DNA sequence: TTGACTGGCGAACGAACGTTCGCTTATGGT
DNA sequence: ACCATAAGCGAACGTTCGTTCGCCAGTCAA
């Protein structure tokens, strides 16, 4: 269908201007000479679910505007580059950030969690909250500093364990204050 | 400054509607009774760099709309929650995706790269290209399947090395086709 | 060949847009 | 107490918005 190329131009406009184009702007994007042609094109795109309209008629982007195509698995299969959009398209924000209000980024230094695949220089996305379950990786306050460890609850005993055999578990003397819970990890190469 | 709370409401509107509010909409958001008051408020926000306007007067979001606050380092210091916005605010997309056209997501299965901190179930963001430098982690085509390995160039000899001592290096018999280069890693807990 | 359907064109509609004006009220420094 | 400045109000401006209309050229099935 030819609407795919036209849709691409709209997405490109959105990426460049960080807003949806007006009907006039789409008109020159896809080289129409009538706004009504655009109107009908937009309705087709809405039927396909690629664009949305709010109740005042303004155009809104959908997930397709933010999506990074998902190719599949890297060991198991041999993805066909022709059919890129197999899995649900999803934006990184949507994928990683559940509660925008309480999510923060944190640089990781030190190698105490290296056996859990968290290396120095990595970035963790954390959600600020004070409760965590057994096994979750948390940011805890110990001796006035923040430290990244795995929370272990055994009966009434709570310890902080590193994922590195060179670091002994921490058994908090007084109270244990949890500052945040790690919800995802990011690494740039 | 009181504009901070008002700015927050505008960001909230943007998050909810995926577009910038009109002056009228800001009017009711911040409970003004005149569009001119909004006009002046917006100009203040523009002076602060928190909002932008294109040449037609439409409002545009800035990095502040997408940013996840950066708290600092998790081991070294003790970040003050009061001053959250110390480092440059940045959006995940902006941070991780350089070339939107050629970036794809890929599921990782298998533990062959576990010593490089890439675990089964992780997701890698890759850029499709056929050239890679020594030491980069690449998606390569071997025997009709895709595999994730570190590229090693020693003189004219090119091998694919796993980051796991249980896996021997791969020495390609014929040609070595690189499908993509890993540029970042994502893990969800 | 006919008739239903689709897609693009050009013109027009009211509504909403960003902007500007003159005026009033609050605020802050001297 | 004074004046300068800033912030909010209400009304108006020209422009652009999304929408709708009638019309015409293709397409495809009956």
């Amino acid at each position: 269908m030819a609407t795919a190329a036209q849709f691409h131009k709209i997405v490109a406009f959105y990426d460049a201007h960080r807003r949806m184009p007006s009907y006039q702007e789409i008109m020159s994007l896809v080289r129409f000479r009538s706004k009504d042609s655009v109107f009908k094109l937009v309705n087709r795109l809405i039927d396909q679910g690629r664009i949305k309209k709010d109740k005042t008629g303004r155009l809104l982007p959908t997930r397709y505007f933010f999506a990074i195509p998902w190719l599949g698995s890297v060991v198991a299969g041999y993805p066909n580059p022709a059919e890129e959009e197999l899995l649900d398209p999803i934006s990184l924000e949507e994928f990683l950030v559940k509660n925008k209000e309480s999510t923060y980024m944190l640089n990781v230094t030190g190698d105490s969690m290296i056996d859990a695949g968290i290396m120095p220089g990595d970035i963790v996305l954390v959600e600020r909250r004070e409760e965590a379950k057994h096994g979750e990786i948390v940011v805890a306050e110990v001796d006035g500093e923040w430290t990244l460890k795995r929370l272990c609850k055994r009966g009434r005993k709570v310890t902080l364990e590193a994922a590195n055999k060179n670091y002994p578990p921490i058994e908090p003397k007084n109270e244990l204050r949890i500052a945040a819970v790690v919800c995802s990890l990011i690494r740039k190469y």
Side-chain angles (χ1 to χ4, degrees), chain A:
Chain A
M1 191 164 299
T3 55
Q6 298 163 332
F7 178 68
H8 256 104
K9 289 183 182 172
I10 296 176
V11 174
F13 184 100
Y14 184 84
D15 284 337
H17 298 79
R18 281 243 199 59
R19 65 168 174 84
M20 294 297 280
S22 72
Y23 282 57
Q24 288 212 45
E25 287 165 330
I26 300 180
M27 220 175 85
S28 51
L29 277 180
V30 301
R31 265 178 254 267
F32 280 165
R33 259 174 302 186
S34 155
K35 275 203 291 179
D36 184 55
S37 307
V38 176
F39 186 79
K40 290 170 181 169
L41 167 65
V42 165
N43 282 336
R44 265 171 271 147
L45 291 171
I46 289 176
D47 287 342
Q48 300 171 8
R50 308 217 244 191
I51 282 189
K52 273 166 84 179
K53 227 188 264 194
D54 65 9
K55 67 228 81 139
T56 72
R58 289 195 209 52
L59 302 183
L60 297 180
T62 60
R63 50 154 44 67
Y64 295 95
F65 283 70
F66 310 97
I68 298 173
W70 205 309
L71 276 184
S73 293
V74 70
V75 170
Y78 189 172
N80 186 348
E83 31 179 315
E84 287 163 356
E85 332 238 346
L86 210 79
L87 290 87
D88 255 3
I90 196 163
S91 87
L92 284 179
E93 306 276 347
E94 194 182 350
F95 184 58
L96 293 178
V97 180
K98 217 148 273 173
N99 300 311
K100 195 191 172 191
E101 303 297 321
S102 58
T103 300
Y104 299 83
M105 278 179 154
L106 218 45
N107 258 326
V108 177
T109 63
D111 60 352
S112 70
M113 294 302 287
I114 204 162
D115 287 342
I118 302 180
M119 316 184 73
D122 287 359
I123 294 154
V124 285
L125 260 56
V126 302
E127 266 187 39
R128 301 208 69 160
R129 78 180 110 102
E130 313 229 330
E131 288 86 37
K133 290 181 234 155
H134 169 77
E136 286 186 313
I137 299 177
V138 300
V139 177
E141 188 184 337
V142 175
D143 300 329
E145 281 203 350
W146 282 10
T147 180
L148 190 70
K149 294 282 181 303
R150 190 182 297 278
L151 184 74
C152 282
K153 291 185 179 175
R154 291 209 183 76
R156 304 212 353 244
K157 200 175 163 192
V158 177
T159 58
L160 295 173
E161 304 202 344
N164 183 334
K165 45 187 178 288
N166 299 326
Y167 292 77
I170 297 178
E171 309 206 2
K173 304 159 183 60
N174 331 339
E175 43 155 11
L176 171 64
R177 247 185 43 82
I178 294 173
V181 180
V182 173
C183 52
S184 49
L185 176 129
I186 289 168
R187 182 183 307 148
K188 261 181 88 170
Y189 289 101

